[in-house]
Amino acid sequence: MTTTDKYIPQQERPKLSEVCVYGGKQSDEFAGIRYENGSLKVYFPFGYSKPIDDEKEYRKDILNLISVLAAYSKESKSVDQNRQLNEDEVQFPIHAYLHVFNYFLNFGYYIENEMTYKRASSGKINWPRTIKQIRPKIAGERPNESVVYLDFITKRSSNNENEIITQIHQYCVYESYEKVGCLFGYFRPKKPTIPFNAKMFAAILKNKISRTFNEKHILLFRNMLDIVCYMGKRNDNRKASFGTNDFEYVWEGLIDDVFGVKKSEKEKYYPHCAWHISDKDSDAEWNETKRTALRPDTIMLSANNDAKIFVLDAKYYQYGENRESKRLPGTGSIIKQIAYAEFIEAMRQQKPKIAQGDIYNAFILPYATTFSESKYPMENFGYADCNWKNTEAKTYHKIYGILLDVRSIMHRHPNHSDKDIAELAARIEGRI
């Protein structure tokens, strides 16, 4: 079945360049996808550079944004005190919408003529199944006795049920087209004829999933079910969103995944504090506070085997986009960075397995550069220090400021690259 010759091109669908919003924070600092009153808008985090005027690049950016946001949703990350995607927003099953519409473009509407079999006294008899499954009766007396079947295995087409499945698929396809169709093109599927009934749709899909063994079809039905369940819980289906008002947590996760050591290894760099009370009966209880540790965002180890340690703090500040704003990490953040480094230096005297090279501190801030896939833009814009610390005594007494292109790191996620680590290390050390 072809999918494009039966549908009407809808020329009024907007170009992706008109859908995407780049640059600057929104009033509520939202980053993600919003559908409201028939209009789709995609908001990129500040510091995300606009691509060249090419629909393919806009589409890649949108799909990349969806992938990154999904990777740092509450369902994907179990990080303490991490708000990340908002509860009411993450419920929008955008991956289900994308899958259902993409399936339609590749295979058309789901249609199946499945044969079902049942035990009955009438109908179209399937003799091989009847002989195997039904015990016959013996009629007459020898030598004139004969075999008689009182019941049979009969077959019938389940076209009625499958026709409903097709109509549910048509409904989900049109719903997906309304929400995300402009990401795929301008072909408008026909409007569904079946009225929406969440309970009936869900019951039919669950039954179909339980009796289907084709993995491709199971995946389709599950995504259809996600759409149906989402719509059934919504009072206003004209609005939908997938994103976050707290992209700073996503920014921290990106830096940690691309540059940092694994979480299990990072834990040895966490400084702990504890009360020790003179009342011995209380001492054990107070020591439980050791579980609450200061946690550096990212620990990066040099990739060229010189055993250097870099303590990175990802700050989602707007300085890289508006340098006149002068919004930069304050005294508290600076002192914490030095405390992390001092702890690491003290602990590695007790634990030789911790890298023994120089320790460096850096803040990583977002900014946007001219669109380029081949580069990984970074910029060292200065450093912070404390007037009571000798910046020449310890390498970590200077906390360097590094600007990192948001688009580049989001398209690299989740790859962990020694080459990228080496370049960032060189920026921090001032070798570039």
Side-chain angles (χ1 to χ4, degrees):
M1 171 183 177
T2 61
T3 59
T4 58
D5 56 353
K6 294 186 179 181
Y7 310 109
I8 305 170
Q10 182 164 315
Q11 299 298 337
E12 67 269 19
R13 297 294 279 183
K15 293 183 179 179
L16 293 184
S17 57
E18 299 170 352
V19 168
C20 297
V21 180
Y22 294 86
K25 288 187 176 182
Q26 310 310 314
S27 58
D28 56 1
E29 301 188 2
F30 179 78
I33 294 177
R34 274 182 172 158
Y35 174 86
E36 189 168 358
N37 296 325
S39 176
L40 181 73
K41 287 291 183 182
V42 181
Y43 297 95
F44 289 87
F46 73 81
Y48 198 107
S49 55
K50 186 176 181 179
I52 55 177
D53 195 13
D54 184 341
E55 288 288 289
K56 291 181 180 179
E57 295 300 333
Y58 285 106
R59 186 172 290 107
K60 283 170 60 177
D61 275 0
I62 295 171
L63 296 177
N64 175 249
L65 177 64
I66 293 170
S67 175
V68 169
L69 290 174
Y72 294 96
S73 68
K74 288 185 176 182
E75 285 74 11
S76 301
K77 294 282 184 181
S78 55
V79 182
D80 293 342
Q81 299 178 349
N82 195 339
R83 289 175 289 171
Q84 294 180 348
L85 297 192
N86 302 328
E87 286 287 355
D88 58 335
E89 292 167 345
V90 80
Q91 293 174 356
F92 177 51
I94 191 166
H95 286 85
Y97 281 78
L98 293 173
H99 180 88
V100 167
F101 200 76
N102 193 50
Y103 180 98
F104 162 72
L105 292 178
N106 284 286
F107 305 106
Y109 291 119
Y110 175 84
I111 298 174
E112 180 182 25
N113 291 318
E114 181 183 341
M115 301 305 297
T116 60
Y117 299 88
K118 68 175 184 177
R119 184 166 177 160
S121 58
S122 62
K124 192 172 182 179
I125 301 172
N126 183 287
W127 283 111
R129 289 176 180 262
T130 299
I131 293 171
K132 289 180 180 180
Q133 299 179 28
I134 303 295
R135 175 174 292 182
K137 301 294 183 182
I138 305 298
E141 297 180 355
R142 292 182 180 179
N144 298 317
E145 60 186 15
S146 60
V147 175
V148 177
Y149 285 91
L150 301 179
D151 285 321
F152 310 95
I153 299 298
T154 62
K155 62 181 178 180
R156 64 183 180 88
S157 174
S158 58
N159 285 336
N160 290 337
E161 177 186 325
N162 285 317
E163 184 179 350
I164 295 176
I165 289 287
T166 299
Q167 292 184 52
I168 296 174
H169 188 213
Q170 290 174 356
Y171 195 101
C172 292
V173 166
Y174 194 83
E175 165 69 10
S176 300
Y177 161 80
E178 287 290 300
K179 297 293 192 296
V180 299
C182 69
L183 301 182
F184 296 91
Y186 303 111
F187 291 102
R188 179 174 57 193
K190 59 186 179 183
K191 288 187 176 182
T193 57
I194 189 172
F196 181 72
N197 186 319
K199 289 185 178 180
M200 183 185 75
F201 286 8
I204 292 173
L205 287 167
K206 288 177 181 178
N207 181 54
K208 195 68 176 175
I209 291 170
S210 68
R211 298 190 293 105
T212 300
F213 301 96
N214 184 306
E215 292 185 2
K216 181 178 71 175
H217 293 159
I218 291 175
L219 184 59
L220 171 64
F221 298 148
R222 284 177 176 167
N223 281 291
M224 289 166 60
L225 181 61
D226 286 343
I227 293 174
V228 168
C229 292
Y230 171 76
M231 292 180 63
K233 295 177 182 177
R234 302 284 293 180
N235 294 323
D236 186 358
N237 193 40
R238 296 171 300 172
K239 295 181 179 181
S241 62
F242 178 84
T244 178
N245 293 332
D246 300 299
F247 192 81
E248 60 192 275
Y249 297 101
V250 180
W251 178 244
E252 291 171 7
L254 284 166
I255 300 298
D256 196 32
D257 284 347
V258 174
F259 296 104
V261 298
K262 294 180 179 179
K263 183 179 179 180
S264 58
E265 185 177 353
K266 189 168 68 171
E267 288 178 352
K268 62 188 177 186
Y269 297 95
Y270 291 168
H272 296 263
C273 298
W275 279 96
H276 299 277
I277 308 302
S278 56
D279 183 352
K280 292 183 179 180
D281 293 334
S282 301
D283 194 44
E285 180 181 348
W286 281 103
N287 276 329
E288 287 295 309
T289 58
K290 284 186 176 182
R291 291 183 299 182
T292 304
L294 285 171
R295 298 181 178 183
D297 287 348
T298 299
I299 297 295
M300 184 180 83
L301 302 180
S302 55
N304 54 1
N305 297 321
D306 54 7
K308 293 176 182 177
I309 301 173
F310 298 82
V311 185
L312 309 181
D313 189 6
K315 294 295 187 185
Y316 190 61
Y317 290 179
Q318 212 163 354
Y319 175 79
E321 189 169 272
N322 179 14
R323 307 209 183 184
E324 294 181 359
S325 70
K326 297 293 190 284
R327 191 192 172 195
L328 291 166
T331 301
S333 297
I334 293 168
I335 292 174
K336 275 202 300 184
Q337 287 301 107
I338 294 176
Y340 289 141
E342 288 177 338
F343 167 77
I344 293 171
E345 186 171 56
M347 286 302 296
R348 67 185 182 183
Q349 296 176 10
Q350 306 173 27
K351 299 178 180 180
K353 290 184 179 180
I354 295 179
Q356 298 296 308
D358 290 336
I359 304 171
Y360 292 85
N361 269 320
F363 294 117
I364 311 296
L365 278 65
Y367 85 138
T369 58
T370 304
F371 172 76
S372 173
E373 285 193 336
S374 60
K375 297 179 181 179
Y376 201 161
M378 302 179 194
E379 180 182 331
N380 188 327
F381 66 88
Y383 68 88
D385 60 13
C386 301
N387 60 7
W388 66 90
K389 294 288 186 180
N390 180 358
T391 57
E392 303 302 322
K394 299 290 183 181
T395 53
Y396 55 77
H397 285 167
K398 289 182 178 180
I399 299 90
Y400 294 93
I402 303 294
L403 296 175
L404 177 61
D405 182 67
V406 179
R407 187 179 195 279
S408 297
I409 193 171
M410 285 180 65
H411 275 278
R412 274 168 168 74
H413 173 268
N415 295 327
H416 187 83
S417 168
D418 286 348
K419 180 180 178 182
D420 298 333
I421 290 172
E423 182 172 347
L424 179 56
R427 290 282 180 184
I428 295 172
E429 294 178 64
R431 291 185 280 112
I432 298 180

